[in-house]
Structures are given as C-alpha cells and as structure tokens.
Amino acid sequence: MDGQLTRLPDNQNYPFDQASMLYSQSQFLKLMTDEHIKDIKSGRRRIEDFYKALQKLSIADARSLLYIDNILSGKSLENIIYDDDDYKNLLINQLKNCHAPIERYNFLIDYKAKTILPESYLGWFKNDLRCSIFLMSLIQNLVNNEAYKGRKELTTGTTNFLRYHISVFNHHASDFGYKEKIFEDGDWKVTVLRSIKATYLRGRTENKELKWLDVSNHEQIEWAYDYLEKNKHTILKGVFFPETIEEKYELILASLDRLSNIESDDIGTEKNKGYSPRSYVLFSIKKAWDGQKQYDSKSKKNDGIIKIYKKNQAKLDKLIAFSGFTAQKMINNAIEQIYDQLIKDDTEAVDQDDASD
C-alpha cells in the first residue's frame, strides 16, 4: 500500500476524499502504511508512534504545516526562521496540545493542499534576487514596515509571502504596465502568478539595453544606483537594503524592469518623443553616464597641470630663456633629476646590499 496513504482517517471507513487526493498529488511525505493506521485505531500502537513518525517529516514540510497552524491560530507573528530541527519539534508540541491531534494534522494537510502555493511554482524566483525584488515591489504597500537586508532575507521573505499568502498577493498585484499582458487559466492559486511570470519574463529589460552597465565596474554601479535613487526610480526603497555591489546591480535591473515599456507621445525630449517610461530612463541614465565619463576624463587631464608659485614664476621664466626648453620640458627634466638623486640611487644601493647578502 506504499504511496497510497494520503491522511490519517478519522473513521473506520478510511475514505479518500478530494482534499486527500490533492494532498497525494502534492507529494507530501507519506507517514504511515494502512496497517500502521489500523494498529493505532485498534490500540495495538500508541499515539506516541504518530509523533515519532512526524520526526520523519522533511524540514520544508514541517515548516509549512507549522506556519499554517500559526496563521490559522492567529499567531502568524510567530512564523520566524528557526533552526531546522525546531520546526518539527514545535509542530509536534502544538499538535500535542490539540484535543484531536491526528484530526488537526489531517486538517492542516487538507488546508495546505487547497490554499498554499505548491513548491513547484516558487522555483523561478526563490533563488533569483532580481525576480524576487520585482515580485515584492508589486505588493510594496503591504511590506513598507518590513526591512530586508541582503539577498537571503529578501528572497526568503518573498518566497514565504507568496507561499502562505498567495490569495493576498493575487488581490494586490495589479497590472504593471507592460505592452503584452499574458493571461493563464487554471487553479486560482497559480493563475495570477503564472500570468505575471510570463508577462514579466517576456517584457523585462533586455540584456542588449544594459550592455554598457558592467557589474565588475564598482564605480559605475554605485553611480547608477545613486542616479536611480536621486531620480526616485528605485523600488523597495526603505524595504530592501543591498549589502554588496552585486545586490545593488540586481536592484538596478529590477527597478528598470518595473518601469512600463508602453511608449507614449508625451515622453521624451523636446525634439524627440515617443519613449516608454523605461526606455527614456535608460536613455537618460546612459547619457548621464557618458557625460560623467567625459567630465572625469577632463578632470584627469586637468590634474596634470602644475601650478607655479607666484614668487617662482620669474625664476621659471629665466630658466626657460636660458635653456631654450618649454615650461613643460623644464619641469619634467627637474622631476627626472630629483628622482635620480633622491630615489633611484637609494633603490640601487638597497638592491646591491641585498645581492651581497
């Protein structure tokens, strides 16, 4: 009978109702065989065996059932990150405090199958910071009091919100202004998310539009991050706090993704309109970066100019007249002579001492 058990039956007929079939389809861990259940019912095994069997739950399953029980009991604030073994122990302790623990366990399984987002729909964003930032920004008004520091906290927070509150997400995540809106059919838990996934992945900022943005250029990433923030284009401001350059880069990409790609005759420069909000920001930020590079280049050239003290100007003029050199040649010759006297000779002497040793 392995693989057939879906729940611990509450009566002697052991029916498999629709919720139990949903539970089976979710591939939740099968705790006991039919014979084991019969033994509990007949008294040949103790209820303690049920709790021992719960120790075989995976960490993910134990966490899921514990969180569901807390949410349904009005204790959602207790849904924090525990050490791995604590999820099982807390779940078992809560079931022990129930009047009918097996029935409560069955109810949690049924509820999980009917209302909790299946794990298979989380994979595309749960380890992807850019996607997770984008999804969290769709419900920013609901998480403004939260603070996520770094990749792990943000991706975990996004995953847990959608896993346990998919109905809330579905209600608040509205159209985000892409040209193409893709609609999906199917179960209510996944249709909105699947529609957002397809629309977003097909409409987000393309790599060719971002070739100039180099994640290995820390100065550039810091500059772009500050530019978007100053111009109020950064999403999850005050909610997500990146810790590394790479995380700032992902936030930049997600913030650009969040901008509409629908073109408008009202958006653009005075002489060149027809941009989308996103394409105009991309145009503006690239233009500003190119201008910054030119400014930095000129500054570096200007840094090569040496100011002559007023009291020495007459002396320099006489040296130029006497030698026939330009001021630039005169100064560079002086630098070379002083270098040879003060540094080069000492360096050669040290090298010789090292060689004699």
Side-chain angles (χ1 to χ4, degrees), residues 6-7 15-25 109-110:
T6 59
R7 58 180 286 168
F16 289 91
D17 57 14
Q18 182 180 5
S20 297
M21 294 305 296
L22 285 170
Y23 162 52
S24 178
Q25 292 170 3
I109 290 172
D110 292 346

Side-chain angles (χ1 to χ4, degrees), residues 239-250:
V239 175
F240 175 54
F241 301 88
E243 294 186 289
T244 66
I245 285 293
E246 289 73 16
E247 290 173 4
K248 286 187 176 182
Y249 175 71
E250 296 289 330

Side-chain angles (χ1 to χ4, degrees), residues 11-147:
N11 57 48
Q12 296 298 319
N13 294 322
Y14 310 122
F16 289 91
D17 57 14
Q18 182 180 5
S20 297
M21 294 305 296
L22 285 170
Y23 162 52
S24 178
Q25 292 170 3
S26 71
Q27 297 182 349
F28 196 86
L29 179 65
K30 311 305 184 289
L31 289 179
M32 306 175 184
T33 64
D34 283 349
E35 290 301 319
H36 193 111
I37 298 172
K38 292 177 182 177
D39 286 346
I40 291 179
K41 290 292 184 178
S42 64
R44 288 194 298 271
R45 293 198 183 198
R46 299 174 301 166
I47 188 64
E48 282 72 15
D49 293 329
F50 164 67
Y51 297 125
K52 289 180 181 178
L54 288 179
Q55 290 291 349
K56 297 179 182 178
L57 280 169
S58 70
I59 294 169
D61 289 332
R63 179 177 59 241
S64 181
L65 290 180
L66 176 66
Y67 280 12
I68 292 169
D69 193 47
N70 284 339
I71 291 170
L72 295 176
S73 302
K75 300 186 297 182
S76 58
L77 293 178
E78 296 182 17
N79 288 345
I80 62 176
I81 299 175
Y82 297 99
D83 293 335
D84 289 348
D85 289 338
D86 289 340
Y87 292 108
K88 299 177 187 178
N89 295 331
L90 288 168
L91 175 64
I92 291 171
N93 286 337
Q94 289 187 187
L95 289 173
K96 284 181 177 180
N97 291 327
C98 292
H99 173 69
I102 294 179
E103 288 79 356
R104 179 64 174 180
Y105 170 77
N106 286 332
F107 172 76
L108 295 177
I109 290 172
D110 292 346
Y111 187 90
K112 178 179 184 293
K114 292 176 179 178
T115 63
I116 303 303
L117 188 67
E119 193 71 21
S120 59
Y121 293 93
L122 301 173
W124 69 276
F125 68 85
K126 68 183 297 185
N127 295 315
D128 188 317
L129 180 59
R130 179 179 178 180
C131 292
S132 293
I133 292 172
F134 179 87
L135 287 171
M136 186 67 85
S137 75
L138 298 180
I139 52 169
Q140 181 161 349
N141 60 319
L142 300 180
V143 296
N144 273 331
N145 292 329
E146 301 290 338

Side-chain angles (χ1 to χ4, degrees), residues 158-172:
T158 305
T159 302
N160 283 339
F161 191 99
L162 268 72
R163 179 188 280 124
Y164 301 112
H165 306 287
I166 187 61
S167 61
V168 178
F169 176 84
N170 290 344
H171 180 71
H172 288 271

Side-chain angles (χ1 to χ4, degrees), residues 213-230:
L213 194 62
D214 181 9
V215 68
S216 65
N217 186 338
H218 291 193
E219 180 184 356
Q220 185 191 48
I221 298 302
E222 291 284 8
W223 179 90
Y225 179 84
D226 291 340
Y227 179 93
L228 289 178
E229 193 169 64
K230 288 176 183 177

